[in-house]
């Protein structure tokens, strides 16, 4: 009988001992936009058509556009990296400026 497969922290790359506590994560980033900017002379339909033409004519790989809208990553992290992630994703104090 073999033991559990070795795990590596996705964040720092450290090998995790089989007896060490680790955390599984799934991070999903999904782009959203509530309203198109229609402040110009064009209507919403014209604006959408213009955006589609830009996308079709551009040199970008469609997968790049897709990853800008939906990106997903799974892995495991060690306790130290979990602390960093939790601080990073916690709400900042109200008096901080933009990034």
């Amino acid at each position: 009988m073999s033991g559990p497969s070795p795990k590596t922290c996705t964040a720092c790359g450290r090998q995790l001992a089989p007896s060490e506590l680790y955390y599984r994560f799934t991070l999903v980033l999904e782009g959203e936009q509530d309203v198109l900017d229609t402040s110009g002379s064009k209507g919403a339909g014209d604006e959408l058509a213009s955006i589609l033409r830009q996308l079709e004519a551009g040199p970008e790989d469609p997968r790049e556009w897709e990853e800008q809208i939906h990106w997903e990553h799974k892995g495991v992290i060690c306790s130290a990296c979990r602390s960093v992630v939790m601080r990073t994703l916690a709400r900042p104090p109200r008096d901080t400026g933009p990034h």
Side-chain angles (χ1 to χ4, degrees):
M1 179 185 282
S2 65
S5 61
K7 294 178 180 51
T8 302
C9 177
T10 303
C12 69
R14 187 171 63 81
Q15 287 287 322
L16 304 173
S19 61
E20 188 174 355
L21 180 63
Y22 64 90
Y23 298 86
R24 292 194 176 282
F25 72 89
T26 301
L27 179 61
V28 178
L29 302 176
E30 295 179 335
E32 295 185 7
Q33 185 173 355
D34 292 333
V35 179
L36 284 176
D37 181 15
T38 57
S39 59
S41 60
K42 297 179 180 180
D46 291 337
E47 185 73 23
L48 279 173
S50 174
I51 291 171
L52 282 174
R53 280 192 299 276
Q54 274 184 299
L55 291 174
E56 290 169 349
E60 294 85 2
D61 183 340
R63 288 177 297 219
E64 290 178 34
W65 287 108
E66 183 178 327
E67 285 182 358
Q68 288 184 25
I69 301 300
H70 181 92
W71 181 84
E72 193 168 324
H73 192 74
K74 297 179 181 184
V76 297
I77 56 174
C78 65
S79 296
C81 288
R82 178 190 180 271
S83 297
V84 172
V85 169
M86 297 300 288
R87 280 194 310 270
T88 302
L89 296 178
R91 289 195 143 167
R94 291 202 181 265
D95 62 344
T96 61
H99 293 47

Coordinates of all heavy atoms in Angstrom, one line a residue:
M1 N 0.8 -1.2 0.0 CA 0.0 0.0 0.0 C 0.9 1.2 0.0 O 1.8 1.3 0.8 CB -0.9 0.0 1.2 CG -1.8 1.2 1.3 SD -2.8 1.3 2.8 CE -4.0 0.2 2.5
S2 N 0.6 2.2 -0.9 CA 1.4 3.4 -0.9 C 0.7 4.5 -0.2 O -0.5 4.5 0.0 CB 1.6 3.8 -2.4 OG 0.4 4.1 -3.0
G3 N 1.5 5.5 0.3 CA 0.9 6.6 1.0 C 0.3 7.7 0.0 O 0.3 7.4 -1.2
P4 N -0.1 8.8 0.6 CA -0.6 9.8 -0.2 C 0.4 10.4 -1.2 O 1.6 10.4 -0.9 CB -1.1 10.9 0.8 CG -0.4 10.6 2.0 CD 0.0 9.2 2.0
S5 N -0.1 10.9 -2.3 CA 0.9 11.4 -3.3 C 1.5 12.7 -2.8 O 0.8 13.5 -2.0 CB 0.2 11.7 -4.6 OG -0.9 12.6 -4.4
P6 N 2.7 13.0 -3.1 CA 3.4 14.2 -2.6 C 2.7 15.5 -3.2 O 2.2 15.4 -4.3 CB 4.8 14.1 -3.1 CG 4.8 13.1 -4.1 CD 3.6 12.2 -3.9
K7 N 2.6 16.5 -2.4 CA 1.9 17.7 -2.8 C 3.0 18.9 -2.7 O 3.9 18.9 -1.9 CB 0.7 18.0 -1.9 CG -0.4 17.0 -2.1 CD -1.5 17.2 -1.2 CE -2.6 16.2 -1.4 NZ -2.2 14.9 -1.3
T8 N 2.8 19.8 -3.6 CA 3.6 21.0 -3.7 C 2.7 22.2 -3.6 O 1.7 22.3 -4.2 CB 4.3 21.1 -5.0 OG1 5.1 19.9 -5.2 CG2 5.3 22.3 -5.1
C9 N 3.1 23.2 -2.7 CA 2.4 24.4 -2.6 C 2.4 25.2 -3.9 O 3.4 25.4 -4.5 CB 3.0 25.3 -1.5 SG 2.1 26.9 -1.3
T10 N 1.2 25.5 -4.4 CA 1.0 26.2 -5.7 C 1.7 27.6 -5.6 O 2.2 28.1 -6.6 CB -0.4 26.3 -6.1 OG1 -1.0 25.0 -6.1 CG2 -0.7 26.9 -7.4
A11 N 1.6 28.2 -4.5 CA 2.1 29.6 -4.4 C 3.6 29.7 -4.2 O 4.2 30.5 -4.9 CB 1.4 30.3 -3.2
C12 N 4.2 28.9 -3.3 CA 5.6 29.1 -3.0 C 6.5 27.9 -3.6 O 7.7 28.0 -3.6 CB 5.9 29.2 -1.5 SG 5.6 27.7 -0.6
G13 N 5.8 26.8 -4.0 CA 6.6 25.7 -4.6 C 7.2 24.8 -3.6 O 7.9 23.9 -4.0
R14 N 6.9 25.0 -2.3 CA 7.5 24.1 -1.3 C 6.8 22.7 -1.3 O 5.6 22.7 -1.4 CB 7.4 24.8 0.0 CG 8.1 24.1 1.2 CD 8.1 24.9 2.4 NE 6.8 25.2 3.0 CZ 6.1 24.3 3.7 NH1 6.6 23.1 4.0 NH2 4.9 24.7 4.2
Q15 N 7.7 21.7 -1.2 CA 7.1 20.3 -1.0 C 6.4 20.2 0.3 O 7.0 20.6 1.3 CB 8.2 19.3 -1.1 CG 8.8 19.1 -2.5 CD 7.8 18.4 -3.4 OE1 7.1 17.4 -3.0 NE2 7.7 18.8 -4.7
L16 N 5.2 19.6 0.4 CA 4.5 19.5 1.6 C 4.6 18.1 2.1 O 4.4 17.1 1.3 CB 3.0 19.9 1.4 CG 2.8 21.3 0.8 CD1 1.3 21.4 0.5 CD2 3.2 22.3 1.8
A17 N 5.0 17.9 3.4 CA 5.1 16.6 4.0 C 3.7 16.0 4.0 O 2.7 16.7 4.2 CB 5.7 16.7 5.3
P18 N 3.6 14.6 3.9 CA 2.3 14.0 4.0 C 1.5 14.3 5.3 O 0.3 14.4 5.3 CB 2.6 12.5 3.9 CG 3.9 12.5 3.2 CD 4.6 13.7 3.6
S19 N 2.2 14.6 6.4 CA 1.6 14.9 7.7 C 1.2 16.3 7.8 O 0.6 16.7 8.8 CB 2.4 14.4 8.8 OG 3.7 15.1 8.8
E20 N 1.6 17.2 6.9 CA 1.5 18.6 7.0 C 0.1 19.1 6.6 O -0.5 18.6 5.6 CB 2.5 19.3 6.1 CG 2.6 20.8 6.3 CD 3.8 21.4 5.5 OE1 4.6 20.7 4.9 OE2 3.9 22.6 5.5
L21 N -0.4 20.0 7.3 CA -1.7 20.6 6.9 C -1.6 21.4 5.7 O -0.6 22.2 5.5 CB -2.2 21.5 8.1 CG -3.6 22.2 7.9 CD1 -4.7 21.2 7.7 CD2 -3.9 23.1 9.0
Y22 N -2.5 21.3 4.7 CA -2.5 22.1 3.5 C -4.0 22.5 3.2 O -4.9 21.9 3.8 CB -1.9 21.3 2.3 CG -2.6 20.1 1.9 CD1 -3.6 20.1 1.0 CD2 -2.3 18.8 2.5 CE1 -4.3 18.9 0.6 CE2 -3.0 17.7 2.2 CZ -4.0 17.7 1.2 OH -4.7 16.6 0.9
Y23 N -4.1 23.4 2.3 CA -5.5 23.9 1.9 C -5.7 23.8 0.4 O -4.8 24.2 -0.4 CB -5.6 25.4 2.3 CG -5.4 25.5 3.8 CD1 -4.1 25.7 4.4 CD2 -6.5 25.5 4.7 CE1 -4.0 25.8 5.8 CE2 -6.4 25.7 6.0 CZ -5.1 25.8 6.6 OH -4.9 26.0 7.9
R24 N -6.8 23.2 0.0 CA -7.2 23.2 -1.4 C -7.9 24.5 -1.7 O -8.6 25.0 -0.9 CB -8.2 22.0 -1.6 CG -7.6 20.7 -1.5 CD -8.5 19.6 -2.1 NE -7.8 18.3 -2.0 CZ -6.8 18.0 -2.8 NH1 -6.4 18.7 -3.8 NH2 -6.2 16.8 -2.6
F25 N -7.7 24.9 -2.9 CA -8.4 26.2 -3.3 C -8.8 26.0 -4.8 O -8.3 25.3 -5.6 CB -7.5 27.4 -3.2 CG -6.4 27.5 -4.2 CD1 -6.6 28.1 -5.4 CD2 -5.2 27.0 -3.9 CE1 -5.6 28.2 -6.3 CE2 -4.1 27.0 -4.8 CZ -4.3 27.7 -6.0
T26 N -9.9 26.8 -5.1 CA -10.3 27.0 -6.5 C -10.6 28.5 -6.6 O -11.4 29.0 -5.8 CB -11.6 26.2 -6.8 OG1 -11.4 24.8 -6.6 CG2 -12.1 26.4 -8.2
L27 N -9.9 29.1 -7.5 CA -10.1 30.5 -7.7 C -10.7 30.7 -9.1 O -10.2 30.2 -10.1 CB -8.7 31.3 -7.6 CG -8.7 32.8 -7.9 CD1 -9.6 33.5 -6.8 CD2 -7.3 33.3 -7.8
V28 N -11.8 31.4 -9.1 CA -12.5 31.7 -10.4 C -12.6 33.2 -10.5 O -13.2 33.8 -9.6 CB -13.9 31.0 -10.5 CG1 -14.6 31.4 -11.7 CG2 -13.8 29.5 -10.3
L29 N -12.1 33.8 -11.6 CA -12.3 35.2 -11.9 C -13.2 35.3 -13.1 O -12.9 34.7 -14.2 CB -10.9 35.8 -12.2 CG -9.9 35.7 -11.0 CD1 -8.6 36.4 -11.4 CD2 -10.4 36.4 -9.8
E30 N -14.3 36.0 -13.0 CA -15.2 36.2 -14.1 C -15.4 37.7 -14.4 O -15.8 38.4 -13.5 CB -16.5 35.5 -13.8 CG -16.4 34.0 -13.7 CD -17.7 33.3 -13.3 OE1 -18.6 34.0 -12.8 OE2 -17.8 32.1 -13.7
G31 N -15.2 38.1 -15.6 CA -15.3 39.5 -15.9 C -16.8 39.8 -16.1 O -17.6 39.0 -16.7
E32 N -17.2 41.0 -15.7 CA -18.6 41.4 -15.8 C -18.6 42.9 -16.2 O -17.7 43.6 -15.8 CB -19.4 41.2 -14.6 CG -19.6 39.7 -14.2 CD -20.5 39.5 -13.0 OE1 -21.1 40.5 -12.5 OE2 -20.5 38.4 -12.6
Q33 N -19.6 43.3 -16.8 CA -19.8 44.7 -17.1 C -21.3 44.9 -17.1 O -22.1 44.3 -17.9 CB -19.2 45.1 -18.5 CG -19.3 46.5 -18.8 CD -18.5 46.9 -20.1 OE1 -17.9 46.0 -20.7 NE2 -18.6 48.1 -20.5
D34 N -21.8 45.8 -16.2 CA -23.3 46.0 -16.1 C -23.9 46.8 -17.2 O -25.0 46.5 -17.7 CB -23.6 46.7 -14.8 CG -23.3 45.8 -13.6 OD1 -23.3 44.5 -13.7 OD2 -23.0 46.3 -12.5
V35 N -23.2 47.8 -17.7 CA -23.8 48.7 -18.8 C -22.7 49.0 -19.8 O -21.6 49.3 -19.4 CB -24.3 50.0 -18.1 CG1 -24.9 50.9 -19.2 CG2 -25.3 49.7 -17.1
L36 N -23.0 49.0 -21.1 CA -22.1 49.5 -22.1 C -22.1 51.0 -22.1 O -23.2 51.6 -21.8 CB -22.6 49.0 -23.5 CG -22.3 47.5 -23.8 CD1 -22.9 47.2 -25.2 CD2 -20.8 47.2 -23.8
D37 N -21.0 51.6 -22.4 CA -20.9 53.0 -22.4 C -21.5 53.5 -23.8 O -20.9 53.3 -24.8 CB -19.5 53.5 -22.3 CG -19.3 55.0 -22.3 OD1 -20.4 55.7 -22.2 OD2 -18.2 55.5 -22.5
T38 N -22.7 54.0 -23.7 CA -23.3 54.5 -25.0 C -23.4 56.0 -25.0 O -24.4 56.6 -25.5 CB -24.7 53.9 -25.1 OG1 -25.5 54.2 -23.9 CG2 -24.7 52.4 -25.2
S39 N -22.4 56.7 -24.4 CA -22.5 58.1 -24.3 C -22.2 58.8 -25.7 O -22.5 59.9 -25.9 CB -21.4 58.6 -23.3 OG -20.2 58.2 -23.7
G40 N -21.6 58.0 -26.6 CA -21.4 58.5 -28.0 C -22.7 58.6 -28.8 O -23.8 58.4 -28.2
S41 N -22.6 58.9 -30.0 CA -23.8 59.0 -30.9 C -24.4 57.7 -31.3 O -25.5 57.6 -31.8 CB -23.4 59.8 -32.1 OG -22.4 59.1 -32.9
K42 N -23.7 56.6 -31.1 CA -24.2 55.3 -31.5 C -25.1 54.7 -30.4 O -25.0 55.0 -29.2 CB -23.0 54.3 -31.6 CG -22.0 54.6 -32.7 CD -20.9 53.6 -32.8 CE -19.9 53.9 -33.8 NZ -18.9 52.9 -33.9
G43 N -26.0 53.9 -30.8 CA -26.9 53.2 -29.9 C -26.2 51.9 -29.4 O -25.1 51.5 -29.8
A44 N -26.9 51.2 -28.5 CA -26.3 50.0 -27.8 C -26.0 48.9 -28.9 O -25.0 48.2 -28.9 CB -27.2 49.5 -26.7
G45 N -26.9 48.7 -29.9 CA -26.7 47.7 -30.9 C -25.5 48.0 -31.8 O -24.8 47.1 -32.1
D46 N -25.4 49.3 -32.1 CA -24.2 49.7 -32.9 C -22.9 49.5 -32.2 O -21.9 49.1 -32.7 CB -24.4 51.2 -33.4 CG -25.5 51.4 -34.4 OD1 -25.8 50.4 -35.1 OD2 -26.0 52.5 -34.5
E47 N -23.0 49.8 -30.9 CA -21.8 49.7 -30.0 C -21.4 48.2 -29.9 O -20.2 47.9 -30.0 CB -22.1 50.3 -28.6 CG -20.9 50.3 -27.7 CD -19.9 51.4 -28.0 OE1 -20.3 52.3 -28.7 OE2 -18.8 51.2 -27.6
L48 N -22.3 47.3 -29.7 CA -22.0 45.9 -29.7 C -21.5 45.4 -31.0 O -20.5 44.7 -31.1 CB -23.3 45.1 -29.4 CG -23.6 45.0 -27.9 CD1 -25.0 44.3 -27.7 CD2 -22.6 44.3 -27.1
A49 N -22.0 45.9 -32.1 CA -21.5 45.5 -33.5 C -20.1 46.0 -33.7 O -19.3 45.2 -34.2 CB -22.5 46.0 -34.6
S50 N -19.8 47.2 -33.2 CA -18.5 47.7 -33.3 C -17.5 46.9 -32.5 O -16.4 46.6 -33.0 CB -18.5 49.2 -32.9 OG -17.2 49.7 -32.8
I51 N -17.9 46.5 -31.3 CA -17.0 45.7 -30.4 C -16.7 44.4 -31.1 O -15.6 43.9 -31.1 CB -17.6 45.6 -29.0 CG1 -17.6 46.9 -28.3 CG2 -16.9 44.5 -28.2 CD1 -18.3 46.9 -27.0
L52 N -17.8 43.7 -31.6 CA -17.6 42.4 -32.3 C -16.6 42.5 -33.5 O -15.8 41.7 -33.7 CB -18.9 41.9 -32.7 CG -19.8 41.3 -31.6 CD1 -21.2 40.9 -32.1 CD2 -19.1 40.1 -31.0
R53 N -16.8 43.6 -34.3 CA -15.9 43.8 -35.4 C -14.4 43.9 -34.9 O -13.5 43.4 -35.5 CB -16.3 45.0 -36.2 CG -17.4 44.8 -37.2 CD -17.6 45.9 -38.2 NE -17.9 47.2 -37.5 CZ -19.1 47.6 -37.1 NH1 -20.2 46.8 -37.3 NH2 -19.3 48.8 -36.6
Q54 N -14.2 44.7 -33.9 CA -12.9 44.8 -33.3 C -12.3 43.5 -32.9 O -11.2 43.1 -33.1 CB -12.9 45.7 -32.1 CG -12.8 47.2 -32.3 CD -12.8 47.9 -31.0 OE1 -13.7 47.9 -30.2 NE2 -11.7 48.6 -30.8
L55 N -13.1 42.7 -32.2 CA -12.7 41.3 -31.7 C -12.3 40.4 -32.9 O -11.3 39.7 -32.9 CB -13.7 40.7 -30.9 CG -14.0 41.3 -29.5 CD1 -15.2 40.7 -28.8 CD2 -12.8 41.3 -28.6
E56 N -13.2 40.4 -33.9 CA -12.9 39.6 -35.1 C -11.7 40.0 -35.9 O -11.0 39.2 -36.4 CB -14.2 39.6 -36.0 CG -15.4 38.8 -35.3 CD -16.7 39.0 -36.1 OE1 -16.7 39.9 -37.0 OE2 -17.6 38.3 -35.7
A57 N -11.4 41.3 -36.0 CA -10.3 41.8 -36.8 C -9.0 41.7 -36.0 O -7.9 41.8 -36.6 CB -10.6 43.2 -37.2
G58 N -9.1 41.6 -34.7 CA -7.8 41.7 -33.9 C -7.0 40.5 -34.0 O -7.4 39.4 -34.4
P59 N -5.7 40.6 -33.7 CA -4.7 39.5 -33.8 C -4.8 38.6 -32.6 O -4.1 37.6 -32.6 CB -3.4 40.2 -33.9 CG -3.6 41.5 -33.1 CD -5.0 41.9 -33.4
E60 N -5.5 38.9 -31.6 CA -5.5 38.1 -30.4 C -6.1 36.7 -30.6 O -7.1 36.5 -31.4 CB -6.3 38.8 -29.3 CG -5.7 40.1 -28.8 CD -6.1 41.3 -29.7 OE1 -6.9 41.1 -30.6 OE2 -5.6 42.4 -29.4
D61 N -5.6 35.8 -29.9 CA -6.1 34.4 -29.9 C -7.4 34.4 -29.1 O -7.5 35.0 -28.0 CB -5.1 33.5 -29.2 CG -5.5 32.1 -29.2 OD1 -6.6 31.7 -29.3 OD2 -4.5 31.2 -29.0
P62 N -8.4 33.8 -29.6 CA -9.7 33.8 -28.9 C -9.6 33.2 -27.4 O -10.4 33.7 -26.5 CB -10.6 32.8 -29.7 CG -10.0 32.9 -31.1 CD -8.5 33.1 -30.9
R63 N -8.6 32.4 -27.2 CA -8.4 31.9 -25.8 C -8.0 33.0 -24.9 O -8.4 33.0 -23.7 CB -7.4 30.8 -25.8 CG -8.0 29.5 -26.4 CD -6.9 28.4 -26.4 NE -5.8 28.9 -27.2 CZ -5.1 28.1 -28.1 NH1 -5.4 26.8 -28.1 NH2 -4.2 28.6 -28.8
E64 N -7.2 34.0 -25.4 CA -6.8 35.1 -24.6 C -8.1 35.9 -24.2 O -8.2 36.4 -23.0 CB -5.9 36.0 -25.3 CG -4.5 35.4 -25.5 CD -3.6 36.3 -26.3 OE1 -3.7 37.5 -26.2 OE2 -2.7 35.8 -27.1
W65 N -9.0 36.2 -25.1 CA -10.2 36.9 -24.8 C -11.0 36.1 -23.7 O -11.6 36.7 -22.8 CB -11.0 37.2 -26.0 CG -10.4 38.2 -26.9 CD1 -9.8 38.0 -28.1 CD2 -10.4 39.6 -26.7 NE1 -9.4 39.2 -28.7 CE2 -9.7 40.2 -27.8 CE3 -10.8 40.4 -25.7 CZ2 -9.5 41.5 -27.9 CZ3 -10.5 41.8 -25.8 CH2 -9.9 42.3 -26.9
E66 N -11.1 34.8 -23.9 CA -11.9 34.0 -23.0 C -11.3 34.1 -21.6 O -12.0 34.2 -20.6 CB -11.9 32.5 -23.5 CG -12.7 31.6 -22.6 CD -12.8 30.2 -23.1 OE1 -12.8 30.0 -24.4 OE2 -12.9 29.3 -22.3
E67 N -9.9 34.0 -21.5 CA -9.3 34.1 -20.2 C -9.5 35.4 -19.5 O -9.4 35.5 -18.3 CB -7.8 33.7 -20.3 CG -7.6 32.3 -20.5 CD -6.1 31.9 -20.6 OE1 -5.3 32.8 -20.5 OE2 -5.8 30.7 -20.7
Q68 N -9.7 36.5 -20.3 CA -10.0 37.8 -19.7 C -11.4 37.8 -19.1 O -11.7 38.6 -18.2 CB -9.9 38.9 -20.7 CG -8.5 39.2 -21.1 CD -8.3 40.3 -22.0 OE1 -9.2 41.2 -22.1 NE2 -7.2 40.4 -22.8
I69 N -12.3 36.9 -19.6 CA -13.7 36.9 -19.1 C -13.8 35.8 -18.1 O -14.5 36.0 -17.1 CB -14.7 36.6 -20.3 CG1 -14.6 37.7 -21.3 CG2 -16.1 36.4 -19.8 CD1 -14.9 39.1 -20.8
H70 N -13.2 34.6 -18.3 CA -13.3 33.5 -17.3 C -12.0 32.9 -17.1 O -11.4 32.3 -18.1 CB -14.3 32.5 -17.8 CG -14.5 31.4 -16.8 ND1 -15.5 31.4 -15.8 CD2 -13.8 30.2 -16.6 CE1 -15.4 30.3 -15.1 NE2 -14.4 29.6 -15.6
W71 N -11.4 32.9 -15.9 CA -10.1 32.3 -15.6 C -10.3 31.5 -14.3 O -10.9 31.9 -13.4 CB -9.1 33.3 -15.4 CG -7.7 32.8 -15.1 CD1 -6.8 32.4 -16.0 CD2 -7.1 32.6 -13.8 NE1 -5.6 32.0 -15.4 CE2 -5.8 32.1 -14.0 CE3 -7.5 32.9 -12.5 CZ2 -4.9 31.8 -13.0 CZ3 -6.7 32.6 -11.5 CH2 -5.4 32.1 -11.7
E72 N -9.8 30.2 -14.3 CA -10.0 29.3 -13.2 C -8.7 28.6 -12.9 O -8.0 28.2 -13.8 CB -11.1 28.3 -13.6 CG -11.6 27.5 -12.4 CD -12.9 26.7 -12.8 OE1 -13.7 27.2 -13.6 OE2 -13.0 25.6 -12.3
H73 N -8.4 28.5 -11.6 CA -7.2 27.8 -11.2 C -7.5 27.1 -9.9 O -8.1 27.6 -9.0 CB -6.1 28.9 -11.0 CG -4.7 28.3 -10.8 ND1 -4.0 27.7 -11.9 CD2 -3.9 28.1 -9.7 CE1 -2.9 27.3 -11.5 NE2 -2.8 27.5 -10.2
K74 N -6.9 25.9 -9.8 CA -7.1 25.0 -8.6 C -5.7 24.6 -8.2 O -4.8 24.5 -8.9 CB -7.9 23.8 -9.0 CG -9.3 24.0 -9.4 CD -10.0 22.7 -9.7 CE -11.4 23.1 -10.2 NZ -12.2 21.9 -10.5
G75 N -5.6 24.3 -6.9 CA -4.4 23.8 -6.4 C -4.4 23.6 -4.9 O -5.5 23.6 -4.3
V76 N -3.2 23.5 -4.3 CA -3.1 23.4 -2.8 C -2.1 24.4 -2.4 O -1.1 24.8 -3.1 CB -2.7 22.0 -2.3 CG1 -3.8 21.0 -2.7 CG2 -1.4 21.6 -2.9
I77 N -2.3 24.9 -1.2 CA -1.3 25.9 -0.6 C -1.0 25.5 0.8 O -1.8 24.9 1.5 CB -1.8 27.3 -0.7 CG1 -3.1 27.5 0.0 CG2 -1.8 27.8 -2.1 CD1 -3.6 29.0 0.1
C78 N 0.2 25.9 1.3 CA 0.6 25.6 2.7 C 0.0 26.6 3.6 O -0.6 27.6 3.2 CB 2.2 25.6 2.7 SG 2.9 27.3 2.4
S79 N 0.2 26.4 4.9 CA -0.4 27.3 5.9 C 0.1 28.8 5.8 O -0.6 29.7 5.9 CB -0.1 26.8 7.3 OG -0.7 25.6 7.5
A80 N 1.5 28.9 5.5 CA 2.0 30.2 5.4 C 1.4 31.0 4.2 O 1.1 32.2 4.3 CB 3.6 30.1 5.3
C81 N 1.3 30.3 3.1 CA 0.8 31.0 1.9 C -0.7 31.3 2.1 O -1.2 32.2 1.6 CB 1.0 30.1 0.7 SG 2.8 30.2 0.2
R82 N -1.4 30.4 2.8 CA -2.8 30.7 3.1 C -3.0 32.0 3.8 O -3.9 32.8 3.5 CB -3.4 29.6 4.0 CG -4.9 29.8 4.3 CD -5.4 28.8 5.4 NE -6.8 29.1 5.7 CZ -7.2 29.9 6.7 NH1 -6.3 30.6 7.4 NH2 -8.4 30.1 6.9
S83 N -2.1 32.3 4.8 CA -2.2 33.5 5.5 C -2.0 34.7 4.6 O -2.7 35.7 4.7 CB -1.1 33.6 6.6 OG -1.3 32.6 7.6
V84 N -1.1 34.6 3.6 CA -0.8 35.7 2.7 C -2.1 35.9 1.8 O -2.5 37.0 1.6 CB 0.4 35.4 1.8 CG1 0.6 36.4 0.7 CG2 1.7 35.3 2.7
V85 N -2.6 34.8 1.3 CA -3.8 34.9 0.4 C -5.0 35.5 1.2 O -5.7 36.4 0.7 CB -4.2 33.5 -0.1 CG1 -5.6 33.5 -0.8 CG2 -3.1 33.0 -1.1
M86 N -5.2 35.1 2.4 CA -6.3 35.6 3.2 C -6.1 37.1 3.5 O -7.1 37.9 3.4 CB -6.4 34.9 4.6 CG -6.7 33.4 4.5 SD -8.3 33.1 3.6 CE -9.4 33.6 4.9
R87 N -4.9 37.6 3.7 CA -4.6 39.0 3.9 C -4.8 39.8 2.6 O -5.4 40.9 2.5 CB -3.2 39.3 4.4 CG -3.0 39.1 5.9 CD -1.7 39.7 6.3 NE -0.5 39.3 5.5 CZ 0.2 38.2 5.8 NH1 -0.1 37.4 6.8 NH2 1.3 37.9 5.0
T88 N -4.4 39.2 1.5 CA -4.5 39.8 0.2 C -6.0 40.0 -0.2 O -6.4 41.0 -0.8 CB -3.8 39.0 -0.9 OG1 -2.5 38.8 -0.5 CG2 -3.9 39.6 -2.3
L89 N -6.8 39.0 0.1 CA -8.2 39.0 -0.3 C -9.1 39.7 0.7 O -10.3 39.9 0.4 CB -8.7 37.6 -0.7 CG -8.0 36.9 -1.8 CD1 -8.5 35.5 -2.0 CD2 -8.2 37.7 -3.1
A90 N -8.6 40.0 1.9 CA -9.4 40.6 2.9 C -9.7 42.1 2.4 O -9.0 42.7 1.7 CB -8.7 40.7 4.2
R91 N -10.8 42.6 2.9 CA -11.2 44.0 2.5 C -10.1 44.9 3.1 O -9.8 44.9 4.3 CB -12.5 44.3 3.1 CG -13.6 43.6 2.3 CD -14.9 44.3 2.7 NE -15.7 44.2 1.5 CZ -17.0 44.5 1.5 NH1 -17.6 44.8 2.6 NH2 -17.7 44.5 0.3
P92 N -9.7 45.9 2.3 CA -8.7 46.8 2.7 C -9.4 47.9 3.6 O -10.6 48.1 3.5 CB -8.2 47.5 1.5 CG -9.3 47.3 0.5 CD -10.0 46.0 0.9
P93 N -8.6 48.5 4.5 CA -9.2 49.6 5.3 C -9.7 50.7 4.4 O -9.2 50.9 3.2 CB -8.0 50.2 6.1 CG -6.9 49.1 6.0 CD -7.2 48.3 4.8
R94 N -10.7 51.4 4.8 CA -11.4 52.4 3.9 C -10.5 53.5 3.5 O -10.8 54.1 2.5 CB -12.6 52.9 4.7 CG -13.7 51.9 4.8 CD -15.0 52.6 5.0 NE -16.0 51.7 5.2 CZ -16.8 51.2 4.2 NH1 -16.6 51.7 3.0 NH2 -17.8 50.4 4.5
D95 N -9.4 53.9 4.2 CA -8.6 55.0 3.8 C -7.5 54.8 2.8 O -6.8 55.7 2.5 CB -8.1 55.7 5.1 CG -7.1 54.7 5.8 OD1 -7.1 53.5 5.6 OD2 -6.4 55.2 6.7
T96 N -7.5 53.6 2.2 CA -6.4 53.3 1.3 C -6.9 53.8 -0.1 O -8.0 53.8 -0.5 CB -6.1 51.8 1.1 OG1 -7.3 51.1 0.7 CG2 -5.7 51.2 2.4
G97 N -5.9 54.3 -0.9 CA -6.1 54.8 -2.2 C -6.2 53.7 -3.2 O -6.1 52.5 -2.9
P98 N -6.2 54.0 -4.5 CA -6.1 53.0 -5.5 C -4.8 52.3 -5.5 O -3.8 52.7 -4.9 CB -6.3 53.8 -6.8 CG -6.0 55.2 -6.5 CD -6.2 55.4 -5.0
H99 N -4.8 51.1 -6.2 CA -3.6 50.3 -6.2 C -2.4 51.0 -6.7 O -2.2 51.6 -7.6 CB -3.8 49.0 -7.0 CG -4.9 48.1 -6.4 ND1 -6.1 48.6 -5.9 CD2 -4.9 46.8 -6.2 CE1 -6.8 47.6 -5.5 NE2 -6.1 46.5 -5.6

